[in-house]
Amino acid sequence: DAKTTQPTSMDCAEGRAANLPCNHSTISGNEYVYWYRQIHSQGPQYIIHGLKNNETNEMASLIITEDRKSSTLILPHATLRDTAVYYCIVRANFGNEKLTFGTGTRLTIIP
Amino acid sequence: DVKVTQSSRYLVKRTGEKVFLECVQDMDHENMFWYRQDPGLGLRLIYFSYDVKMKEKGDIPEGYSVSREKKERFSLILESASTNQTSMYLCASSLPLLRVSSGANVLTFGAGSRLTVL
């Protein structure tokens, strides 16, 4: 699975859009981009995933660049409950069943 | 609505004790995983099981073993606990890739078990 690079930490004002970047320059054509988040003292929770088209669900939007070498997770109206560590993961949907997490981005929402 | 349950939220054990961490899922998932999480190191995979009685080592299996006698239950065993095994342990489950559509190979995690070894 391709390696990802994320900033260690970010702050965002409450009510504003939080934009979390992820670089995955070695991504291959059959690899998806997944995002999870982990709120303090809980297990990670799935947010969204995509292959090459932008995706949106009730939690967030995922924007993937045309060359697929980077992506951005957007939380449109951040609340204090969005304070968490966000993990960007790239993996294919065949072969290796194991999922590898990096250290993620610690997002702090400021009141 | 609880789907992955870890039997103990907090445990305190002594060096040399045998420790069992239990995980049960009710989603009929074939895959189950044990991770540990330490500050600055993120989540690291200890062991993975893709079926009953089947297991694969993850990135850091040393000092651990696992047991999967039933599909819904995956146990992590520390044969002789050591202080460097003090950590947060997270269990997860998922469908196998072959049964996933639209790329949604999602892991569902439990709340975690925080183990302290004195």
Side-chain angles (χ1 to χ4, degrees), chain B residues 62-101:
Chain B
E62 297 78 18
Y64 303 94
S65 62
V66 290
S67 172
R68 184 114 181 255
E69 297 296 319
K70 293 185 178 181
K71 188 177 184 180
E72 66 271 18
R73 187 179 297 271
F74 191 34
S75 302
L76 181 69
I77 304 157
L78 288 67
E79 293 288 343
S80 178
S82 63
T83 55
N84 63 12
Q85 293 178 309
T86 290
S87 187
M88 169 69 88
Y89 290 88
L90 290 156
C91 174
S93 71
S94 75
L95 289 170
L97 293 172
L98 289 177
R99 287 181 56 196
V100 169
S101 63

Side-chain angles (χ1 to χ4, degrees), chain B:
Chain B
D1 189 42
V2 176
K3 298 179 178 179
V4 178
T5 304
Q6 295 184 228
S7 57
S8 302
R9 194 82 169 90
Y10 300 95
L11 303 94
V12 179
K13 299 292 182 180
R14 298 221 173 261
T15 301
E17 279 193 75
K18 190 169 185 175
V19 181
F20 291 88
L21 298 178
E22 306 285 346
C23 176
V24 176
Q25 51 96 5
D26 64 1
M27 295 170 287
D28 201 34
H29 285 169
E30 282 81 353
N31 293 344
M32 295 190 75
F33 307 81
W34 274 107
Y35 290 86
R36 66 176 280 178
Q37 184 171 32
D38 302 288
L41 297 177
L43 279 80
R44 294 179 292 168
L45 182 64
I46 305 171
Y47 264 100
F48 156 64
S49 169
Y50 53 93
D51 204 346
V52 174
K53 298 189 186 297
M54 308 305 288
K55 63 185 179 184
E56 279 188 20
K57 292 181 180 179
D59 299 318
I60 51 163
E62 297 78 18
Y64 303 94
S65 62
V66 290
S67 172
R68 184 114 181 255
E69 297 296 319
K70 293 185 178 181
K71 188 177 184 180
E72 66 271 18
R73 187 179 297 271
F74 191 34
S75 302
L76 181 69
I77 304 157
L78 288 67
E79 293 288 343
S80 178
S82 63
T83 55
N84 63 12
Q85 293 178 309
T86 290
S87 187
M88 169 69 88
Y89 290 88
L90 290 156
C91 174
S93 71
S94 75
L95 289 170
L97 293 172
L98 289 177
R99 287 181 56 196
V100 169
S101 63
S102 304
N105 180 243
V106 174
L107 266 65
T108 301
F109 282 84
S113 299
R114 184 165 293 282
L115 172 67
T116 302
V117 182
L118 301 175

Side-chain angles (χ1 to χ4, degrees), chain A residues 21-87:
Chain A
C22 180
N23 285 322
H24 30 79
S25 58
T26 60
I27 193 170
S28 59
N30 55 24
E31 290 183 312
Y32 288 76
V33 180
Y34 286 80
W35 283 84
Y36 285 74
R37 77 177 181 184
Q38 186 175 22
I39 295 170
H40 182 61
S41 297
Q42 297 182 23
Q45 173 194 24
Y46 165 80
I47 302 172
I48 199 167
H49 75 283
L51 184 61
K52 51 186 175 182
N53 297 321
N54 298 337
E55 302 287 346
T56 296
N57 64 19
E58 65 279 2
M59 291 181 69
S61 295
L62 174 60
I63 308 299
I64 302 174
T65 57
E66 194 167 340
D67 64 6
R68 301 206 328 120
K69 293 182 184 298
S70 66
S71 60
T72 302
L73 179 75
I74 301 171
L75 309 177
H77 304 288
T79 71
L80 297 179
R81 288 175 294 181
D82 293 321
T83 292
V85 177
Y86 288 78
Y87 299 96

